[in-house]
Amino acid sequence: MVQKAKILLVDDRPENLLALEAILSALDQTLVRASSGEEALKALLTDDFAVILLDVQMPGMDGFETAAHIKRRERTRDIPIIFLTAINHGPHHTFRGYAAGAVDYISKPFDPWVLRAKVSVFVELYMKNCQLREQASLLRLQLEGGRPSADEAKESAGLLAELSARLAAVEEQAEALSKQLDESADAAAVATAAHLERKLTGLRRALDALEPGTAGTPAGSPRAD
C-alpha cells in the first residue's frame, strides 16, 4: 500500500493556512502546517515531504532565510519549494526566490486551480520516485540472494520491465516540466529542472545496473560497486 505524500504548508497567518488546506484537500495527501520558518525546519528533521509551499513574508525567519536553511541540509536540499508572496512586489523578489532555490514563485491572490495543478506534479513525481526506490531495493535483495531459478528469473525480468516503464513515465513528466520552466527563461528555475533530470538519470543508471548480464556480470549475480 502506497503511503500518502506529505505537503508542508508554511505561513504565519492561520487564515492563509486554512485557505491552502481547502485548495489542496482535493489531492488527498497529508497536509502539514507550520506557522514559522523555525517550525518548518523542525518538521523537516523527521518527515519527508513531496513539496513545500513557503510564504515569503513572515516575522522572524522569513521565507528566503528558511529556504536557505532547507537547501543547506543534505536531507532536504532536493525538496521542491514553491514560494507564495503578496502581489505588488518588484522582479527583485522573484529573482531572490529562484536564487534561494525555489522551483516556482506565485503571487497572491493566486488561482487555486493553477496552484493545485503545480503541486500535484511534484506529488506525483515524489510518489513514483518512492515506488521506484522501494521496488529497486527489493529486486536488488532478490538478485543478491544468489542465482535465481527459472521462475524467479522470469519474475525479476518482469519486475525490471515494470520499473523501467514507471521510470520512463517519470522521465516524461520531468521533461514536460523542464519545457514549462524553459518558457519562463529564468536561469535558476531551469537549473532546478536540470538537477531533477540528473537525479532521474542516476535512477535510470541504477536500474540498468540491475539488468542480468550487464557489463559482463553473470545473470543473477550482483554487480560489484
Side-chain angles (χ1 to χ4, degrees):
M1 181 178 180
V2 179
Q3 293 183 347
K4 294 182 178 180
K6 292 183 178 180
I7 303 171
L8 184 58
L9 313 177
V10 189
D11 199 303
D12 62 297
R13 292 179 174 272
E15 62 271 23
N16 290 344
L17 291 171
L18 187 63
L20 287 173
E21 288 175 337
I23 293 171
L24 299 176
S25 60
L27 298 180
D28 193 28
Q29 304 301 325
T30 301
L31 306 177
V32 179
R33 284 189 175 200
S35 58
S36 66
E38 292 86 353
E39 190 175 338
L41 294 176
K42 288 181 181 179
L44 289 163
L45 287 174
T46 55
D47 290 326
D48 294 324
F49 292 90
V51 62
I52 302 170
L53 273 64
L54 181 58
D55 183 44
V56 171
Q57 292 180 302
M58 296 186 294
M61 184 185 298
D62 66 11
F64 297 128
E65 187 178 355
T66 302
H69 283 288
I70 293 172
K71 293 302 178 182
R72 279 199 294 264
R73 293 178 178 177
E74 179 71 25
R75 175 188 173 93
T76 59
R77 65 177 52 174
D78 293 329
I79 302 177
I81 298 174
I82 298 177
F83 270 130
L84 304 177
T85 184
I87 203 167
N88 299 326
H89 282 300
H92 68 283
H93 266 263
T94 304
F95 175 78
R96 284 191 66 190
Y98 285 125
V103 296
D104 212 337
Y105 197 95
I106 303 178
S107 295
K108 304 174 185 177
F110 44 77
D111 186 330
W113 294 95
V114 172
L115 179 63
R116 186 159 53 238
K118 290 186 175 185
V119 171
S120 68
V121 170
F122 292 107
V123 168
E124 188 170 358
L125 285 173
Y126 173 83
M127 297 291 281
K128 288 187 175 181
N129 277 327
C130 286
Q131 293 173 7
L132 285 169
R133 285 195 298 267
E134 291 174 0
Q135 293 178 352
S137 177
L138 289 173
L139 182 58
R140 182 178 292 277
L141 288 174
Q142 181 181 6
L143 293 176
E144 289 177 350
R147 182 176 295 276
S149 64
D151 289 340
E152 289 174 336
K154 183 177 180 180
E155 181 181 353
S156 296
L159 182 54
L160 277 172
E162 181 182 355
L163 283 170
S164 182
R166 291 192 180 191
L167 181 55
V170 176
E171 290 169 335
E172 183 178 351
Q173 288 183 334
E175 183 179 358
L177 179 62
S178 296
K179 290 180 179 178
Q180 179 184 1
L181 291 176
D182 283 342
E183 294 174 357
S184 70
D186 185 279
V190 173
T192 301
H195 175 74
L196 176 60
E197 289 184 346
R198 287 195 297 271
K199 297 282 285 186
L200 290 175
T201 299
L203 280 173
R204 172 61 69 183
R205 288 174 179 170
L207 184 59
D208 290 343
L210 293 174
E211 290 283 355
T214 301
T217 303
S221 299
R223 284 170 54 87
D225 294 329

